Amino acid sequence: MRVAIAPSVLSADFARLGEQVHDCELAGADRLHIDVMDGHFVPNLSMGPAIVASLRRATRLPLEVHLMVERPAQFFQPFAASGANSLIAHVEVTDDPRPWFDEIRRLGCHVGLAIHPQTPVERVSPYLKDLEVALCMTVVPGYAGQVFLPGSVQRIRQLREEIDRLNPSCELEVDGGINLNTGADAVSAGANVLVAATSIFQAPQGPAAAVREFLHRFRGG
Ligand code: DX5
Ligand code: ZN
């Protein structure tokens, strides 16, 4: 299975964002991951549509927006209009995410559903057949730089088994504490998209070299 690398700009140097994103693109990153936080669903604040609009002008990479917010639907249109390619909202903030899917597709974006590490995997099962991406959080969302939760491996396996059965074209993305080692555990368990903030943007060797190391490790390039 081809593994895609998605640098998360949450750990970038925002004064040099364009340059760092350009470095990731040239190094071969597959997409950019943009973490949106509202201070309610998670305790932290981060980015809004203005950053996505700036990134849209700075890179040709697909932009995926991870909405860690209590009311994601009110932000679908502004992020789509800013140039997002995928919108990923959390299953925990709704009783039924299906109305989101139609709206996101109407806006021309791919549909993603994210699951918090403390939420039973069964909670996303009914929707897997409708998704382009299932995002398995591997830390409690809110901050970059946390440690990959080891219990994630079994959750990834379970999701992979269900995705293979219900919708094999759905991507299985992991997010939180991903580096070359935890990424390898996640890929062995069935993940095919790796999100990484700290291990790319805070890498001593710089983001371009870090992306190349991920590609070398997971695609043999
Ligand atoms: C966590 C965010 C992640 C975060 C990952 O709340 O959803 O995307 O940026 O950061 P690292 O890779 O540092 O764990
Ligand atoms: Zn994220």
Side-chain angles (χ1 to χ4, degrees), residues 1-219:
M1 204 166 17
R2 188 180 195 273
V3 174
I5 307 301
S8 160
V9 298
L10 190 59
S11 298
D13 176 350
F14 286 94
R16 297 167 50 216
L17 186 58
E19 181 194 325
Q20 293 195 329
V21 161
H22 185 64
D23 288 350
C24 289
E25 181 170 4
L26 285 184
D30 297 284
R31 67 184 74 169
L32 286 183
H33 183 89
I34 296 132
D35 286 307
V36 175
M37 304 181 183
D38 67 349
H40 295 282
F41 180 68
V42 292
N44 201 3
L45 285 172
S46 61
M47 294 162 254
I51 300 249
V52 172
S54 294
L55 287 170
R56 184 67 295 156
R57 291 189 290 271
T59 180
R60 280 199 267 226
L61 291 176
L63 303 176
E64 67 174 22
V65 174
H66 177 194
L67 293 161
M68 287 166 277
V69 306
E70 267 180 8
R71 285 189 277 162
Q74 65 183 309
F75 298 113
F76 294 159
Q77 196 281 334
F79 278 109
S82 299
N85 300 96
S86 311
L87 297 174
I88 305 170
H90 269 266
V91 70
E92 293 83 14
V93 300
T94 182
D95 291 333
D96 182 5
R98 274 175 287 232
W100 294 345
F101 304 161
D102 295 336
E103 173 65 3
I104 291 173
R105 291 218 168 82
R106 194 183 64 75
L107 292 164
C109 293
H110 287 170
V111 174
L113 200 56
I115 180 163
H116 187 287
Q118 286 151 2
T119 302
V121 165
E122 291 72 26
R123 189 78 177 70
V124 290
S125 307
Y127 313 113
L128 289 172
K129 63 177 182 348
D130 299 317
L131 303 180
E132 270 86 41
V133 56
L135 175 57
C136 181
M137 288 302 304
T138 47
V139 296
V140 171
Y143 298 92
Q146 303 183 76
V147 174
F148 180 88
L149 294 168
S152 304
V153 170
Q154 183 48 37
R155 293 166 59 80
I156 298 163
R157 269 199 211 105
Q158 190 181 337
L159 280 165
R160 168 49 62 198
E161 189 274 314
E162 292 185 10
I163 286 172
D164 282 350
R165 193 159 40 83
L166 300 168
N167 179 10
S169 66
C170 176
E171 294 178 317
L172 177 50
E173 180 167 41
V174 287
D175 183 9
I178 299 294
N179 53 39
L180 296 180
N181 294 324
T182 55
D185 293 342
V187 168
S188 305
N192 69 326
V193 184
L194 301 177
V195 175
T198 305
S199 64
I200 290 180
F201 287 103
Q202 300 293 317
Q205 66 275 33
V211 167
R212 282 195 295 271
E213 285 169 17
F214 267 95
L215 290 171
H216 181 71
R217 175 71 184 260
F218 294 106
R219 292 228 289 268

